Amino acid sequence: MITFDTVQLDIDGPTATIYLNRPDKKNAMNPQMHRDMNAALDAIEADEGVKAVVVTGVGDSFSAGMDLEECFLEPYEDPQRFYKTNLVALQWFQRLKAFPAVTIAKVNGYAFGGGFEVTGLCDLAIAADHVKFGLSEINFGIFPAGGASWAATHNLSRKQALYYILTGATMTGKEAEQFGLVNKAVPADELDAATEKLVGRIVNKNPVTLRLAKEVYERTTHLDLPEAIDYDQAKLWELARLTSNEWINVALKQFEKRSYRPGLDTYKRDVA
């Protein structure tokens, strides 16, 4: 366990777990947490063996969002300090979105503003069914910014995104599953097991394939079909080169021997 001022990081083989650790403040994101999150992501990238990154909260909250006093009120009179304070947050949000390992939000409690955003930025998400999600910015006179509106727009339908952006209403974990913000909502006492099961389905995969699959998804969402095919074919050649054609020489050779069924299982890798 690596302990920062406001974040704890546990790297266990191919799995890293980041704990947002300001439970007395509902894990609100202050400037120190933004710095600590960048440091935690640095440590995970330096490890090189991590395939899945779980983000969760200590206590009864995932994150209540930005610490309004420390991030906005206190630095407001100093424009440079205000800018630099919030730039650090925007940096790790963007890093999380583009992180090479698979990112999973394990939403254990309240997720407002920045907490909603982090859920939406992660590749996958599981929530306790009782938790509350919300974009409360409209309630103190601004709109969700710093990527929060992006997270709503890219995880919810237009009508649902605008409803939560414009009203500040909350949704439950079950509703978040229904609307597409999370993959699955489960009873709180099943959250650990459900997350571990999902992680287990990720960490036995080829890490290069995981990374390139994410890149192909992100890129091809903005391309027409012919361009998307050109891009994914180029990425297949990149994958082949980087993995010595593992999908042919290992995976399909195992399939040829009927040692596994691709529709139900994954092949056994020669390396971790």
Side-chain angles (χ1 to χ4, degrees):
M1 183 76 74
I2 304 172
T3 301
F4 302 95
D5 288 347
T6 65
V7 166
Q8 291 180 338
L9 171 62
D10 182 22
I11 299 180
D12 183 10
T15 306
T17 304
I18 299 173
Y19 299 89
L20 307 179
N21 189 24
R22 295 184 78 211
D24 56 323
K25 297 291 187 179
K26 303 294 183 186
N27 297 324
M29 302 174 187
N30 67 346
Q32 185 61 50
M33 182 176 285
H34 296 319
R35 290 189 289 269
D36 289 346
M37 282 300 301
N38 273 297
L41 294 176
D42 286 343
I44 295 169
E45 285 193 293
D47 183 271
E48 295 187 348
V50 172
K51 300 180 187 179
V53 179
V54 177
V55 183
T56 193
V58 174
D60 63 1
S61 292
F62 182 69
S63 175
M66 292 292 194
D67 186 310
L68 302 182
E69 294 178 345
E70 291 192 36
C71 288
F72 303 136
L73 280 174
E74 292 178 13
Y76 178 70
E77 297 298 334
D78 183 341
Q80 283 298 317
R81 182 184 169 206
F82 186 89
Y83 169 74
K84 291 177 181 178
T85 293
N86 292 286
L87 181 63
V88 180
L90 303 181
Q91 288 172 339
W92 80 260
F93 289 161
Q94 293 177 72
R95 289 184 68 187
L96 185 69
K97 171 66 170 56
F99 208 69
V102 177
T103 55
I104 302 169
K106 177 184 175 182
V107 187
N108 57 302
Y110 295 107
F112 285 83
F116 183 110
E117 177 174 352
V118 169
T119 304
L121 294 178
C122 284
D123 302 317
L124 306 170
I126 296 182
D129 53 18
H130 73 282
V131 307
K132 290 285 197 296
F133 292 90
L135 294 168
S136 56
E137 287 86 345
I138 199 75
N139 293 332
F140 54 92
I142 64 171
F143 55 83
S149 286
W150 185 98
T153 300
H154 285 77
N155 287 273
L156 308 175
S157 69
R158 178 176 182 270
K159 290 290 193 297
Q160 294 295 357
L162 282 171
Y163 175 75
Y164 289 101
I165 288 170
L166 297 175
T167 67
T170 63
M171 72 175 81
T172 65
K174 276 295 184 186
E175 289 171 325
E177 177 185 22
Q178 176 186 346
F179 300 151
L181 180 62
V182 304
N183 299 96
K184 191 173 184 178
V186 298
D189 61 358
E190 298 177 16
L191 183 61
D192 288 346
T195 305
E196 289 173 7
K197 182 177 180 181
L198 178 57
V199 169
R201 300 195 67 165
I202 297 296
V203 296
N204 62 354
K205 305 296 194 293
N206 185 315
V208 178
T209 306
L210 291 172
R211 175 174 61 82
L212 294 184
K214 289 177 53 170
E215 291 178 9
V216 168
Y217 169 79
E218 297 292 351
R219 179 66 172 167
T220 58
T221 56
H222 305 291
L223 298 176
D224 291 331
L225 181 59
E227 290 80 13
I229 290 174
D230 284 345
Y231 183 79
D232 71 36
Q233 292 301 294
K235 284 294 182 181
L236 276 178
W237 282 104
E238 181 180 345
L239 174 67
R241 175 66 173 170
L242 293 175
T243 63
S244 300
N245 268 314
E246 184 175 300
W247 76 284
I248 292 285
N249 295 325
V250 180
L252 293 192
K253 288 295 184 182
Q254 290 178 15
F255 171 71
E256 186 178 34
K257 297 175 182 177
R258 298 301 187 264
S259 61
Y260 81 107
R261 293 175 290 176
L264 300 175
D265 200 1
T266 191
Y267 67 98
K268 183 176 177 58
R269 301 195 66 224
D270 292 338
V271 294

